[in-house]
Structures are given as C-alpha cells and as structure tokens.
Amino acid sequence: MGKLVKDIQNRSLHLTVIGSGYVGLPTAALFADASFHVTAVDIKPEVVQTVNSGASPINEPGLHELISRNVQAGRLKATLNSTETLTQADTVIISVQTPIDQNKGPNLSFLTKALEEVGKTMKERMLVVISSTVPPGTMLRKVKPKLESLSGLETDDEFYLAYVPERIAPGKALKEFIESPRLVGGIGPNSTKIAAELFRTVCKKVIETDAATAEVSKLAENTFRDINIAYANQLALICEQHGVDAKKVIELANTHPRVSIHTPGPGVGGPCLPKDPYLLIHKTKLGDQNIIKRARQINDYMPKHIVKTALQALKNIGKNIKNSKIAILGTAYKANVDDSRLSPSKPIIQKLLDLDAKVVAYDPYCSESFNAEKAESITEAVKDSDCIIIVTDHDEFKEIELSRLKKIMRSNPLIVDGRRVINPAEAKNVGFKYYGVGYGVKDEI
Ligand code: SAJ
C-alpha cells in the first residue's frame, strides 16, 4: 500500500481509463494533466483515433485543449487494446455506460465485460475504481466477487477497490470534476485511503465513505433532481388549469428561504436522470408508495403534453396537423450541449411524424434530427411553418427575432414554448398565438 501511495505522490503511477465517453475522457485528460501517464480505452476506433491526433471527439468546453496538451506531452494516449494497456497499469478507472433495459432494469453488460478484462490481467497492489453509476449493492455483490474470483486476489489486502461516482454535467464537466466534492467509497479502509489519495490530485475536495453508501448517495442526487422537476412539471399542469403562470408561481415560491422548485419543461432527458431513479429502486419492495416511479411517469408524460398543446392550438385556428409544418427548435437534451441522448425531442418528433405532420428540426449544436427533416438555420426550419415548438433552451433560441420569423411563417403563426424562453406578451404583440408549459394554456385552448 505504501508503494502505491508513493507512486501517486510522485506521479509515477500508470493509469488506465476504460470507457472514453462523456465521463471517461474528462477523467483521463484531467489525470494526465495532473502529470500521470494515462491510457484511455474505448471500443470505437474513431474515438481512439481522434484522441491520439490530439483532439476531442466530444464537444466539451476546454476538453480539446486539455487533450491536445497532454497528448503532445506524451502523458495521454488512447487505445482499442485493453489487455495490453491493462498489463502495464497500476490503477484502472472504469467509466462505461450502465443503461437500463426495456423493463427498466439495469443493463450491466458493459461493466461486466470491463471487469472481466481487468480481473484477468490484474496484479497485486492494483487499485480498481468504478465510476459508472450502478444499482445499490453492485460493488459488494458483483464487482468484488468477480474481481476476486478472476484474479485470485483479496480485496483491500492484495488489491484495492473503490466506488467513486461522477458528478459532472455535460457543458461544465471539467470545472465540476475539479470543484464538486468527490465521494470516495472503498471496499475496506485501505481502498478508501488509496483512492482518496489519487482523487485528491485532481479534485479540490474528497469525502471518504464506504462503497455501498457512495452507490446510494449518487443515485439519491439524480433522483432528487428528477422528483423536483416532476413536481415543477405537475405544478405547471395545475397552473395551466387555473390560468396562472407557473413561471411566476415558482419564482415567487422560491423567494421562501426553504423552497427551491426546479424548472418545468418538455420532459427530462440525458443519460442520467431518466435512468438513475430506476437503478435506485431496482429490486426494492415499495408497493404503491413509489414517489420515484411516479415522478418518472410525470416527466415521461411531458413530451405528450407538448404535442397535445400543439394539436389543440392548431385546432383552435382551424388547421389540421396533417397539412401543417412544425418547426422543432432543439434536439439536444438540454441547453448549449450537443448531446441528444434520451432527449424529449425524440418522442415529440416521432408523435408528430406519426400524425403525418411535416416536421423540420434545427439545433445549433446537435446533428441529430430524429427522422425529422434537418434544417441548417432557424430561418430554414421556421420558413412556411404553422407552429414553432421550442424543445431546448439553447441561448440562441432566447434571442430569436419574433417579428422577422412571423413574416416568413404561414398565417396565424403559433409558438409552443416548452422552455419558457419567449416573453408571452412580446409574442402576442407581434401576432403569434403563444402557448407555454405552465402558461394559462387550458384557458386559451
Ligand atoms: N431539466 C428540467 N428542469 C430543471 C433542470 C433540468 O426540465 O429544472 C431537464 C434538462 O433540460 C434535461 C434533464 O432535465 O433534459 C437533465 O438535465 P440536468 O441538467 O438535470 O442533468 P444532466 O443529466 O446533464 O446531469 C446530471 C447532474 N446531476 C445533478 O444535477 C443532480 C450531474 O451533476 C450528474 O453528474 C449527471 O446527471 C450524471 O452523470 O449523473
């Protein structure tokens, strides 16, 4: 154990990161920047090639420069060959995806494969860190026994094993990696101590705990956010029925020192919030008293609510969805990122296409259009359309020139603002019929 600590302190440790995605790459690049020798492993040849050419395969502020600097300095490289790099590694950080399957249960196949690769090549005194989000109990019941049986080594004595969940949000990944307090939960005190020592070289604050507590804490954070957003969304539906502006209500309620309601929207997307609540309740017995599942259902309902609002708005002015052109602004799951994983745009576009609407999508960051026609600008998307639906709160959409857009749209133009980025009074002044999430919709339709 002493040698590993020394190797961390004098940066002679060789680190392998398995899974070079939105979490793995910032991890690899930041440890390389802290002077470790890092190899990033991925199954996608284009990711490996891009990193080795000194560029970033994902659009994350600051990451390109970080990769470029560290590849040039010879501290960072990428490879498809995990076995070769693992035989030279002293520490492995696993950050592969852990999606949910059709039954909302965890799919741990990527993690299992990574553990098999690590277990087979593992040598004494190695530190293995899991950063992938996992259901409670995975470290003790799956990861530990798998690595022990494959390697013949004993945890916390002959090798070290810790759960160190990530807390970074796309768009702010590097800053949050360094600044957010980092939970380090070892399987045993030696593992906690060594993993904490490693993460202190990059993270400003490390909080030591045990693996099982860290697993549940990680899921508790994202589930809290999902439930809070579900409450905001339900409040928006209530406000629509009372003809009261939910945005104003939330603003006022949040002036209370102990109230902090999140923002309603067209649904909750991204790789984490739509799935982590299911990981938290996996194999638990909660009966009907399941606030977590209900919150998921409310958030999953929101894309349908957006479509329903658009349909009703069209009907009110005597238009049929079949002959209508709908401009979708935003396919990314949240503001100012290029990530479209589980974006609410997908079910919204799919439903509109099923209803035979002509759907054109524009996103300034994201190439995904979910089978809608793809436009290269707001103007191209909006031209000759009947209705604009704002799905993502990109900065660009907050500055749209309503009067100019009205001129290029068909008669009686509509806006369905899923993110409340448009001022309703201004839209109405210009001549739009304005519908927003949580904005007196029921009174108007
Ligand atoms: N959203 C709302 N209303 C809100 C906030 C968000 O509708 O008030 C929507 C967003 O538009 C988006 C979805 O929720 O569609 C998720 O966005 P997000 O910003 O809440 O979260 P992610 O998925 O980008 O990152 C989350 C973060 N977790 C928390 O803030 C508790 C991040 O810190 C985690 O590292 C990340 O999940 C993860 O990887 O687990």
Side-chain angles (χ1 to χ4, degrees), residues 23 133 166-170 172 176 180 218 220-226 228-229 232-233 261-274 276 299 332-335 337 342-344 391-393 419:
V23 175
T133 305
E166 56 87 12
R167 287 172 145 179
I168 55 177
K172 305 184 245 187
E176 292 198 346
S180 297
K218 163 70 194 175
E221 293 165 11
N222 280 352
T223 304
F224 165 78
R225 193 160 167 83
D226 196 50
N228 194 327
I229 300 168
N233 283 332
I261 306 169
H262 287 6
T263 312
V268 168
C272 309
L273 264 59
D276 290 356
N299 289 336
Y333 81 89
K334 69 172 188 177
V337 300
L342 299 181
S343 172
V391 187
T392 312
D393 43 350
R419 294 287 186 176

Side-chain angles (χ1 to χ4, degrees), residues 278-295:
Y278 288 116
L279 298 187
L280 181 58
I281 58 176
H282 182 59
K283 289 195 172 157
T284 53
K285 296 182 189 76
L286 297 168
D288 292 336
Q289 319 307 325
N290 195 332
I291 187 177
I292 295 169
K293 212 166 164 179
R294 275 272 182 263

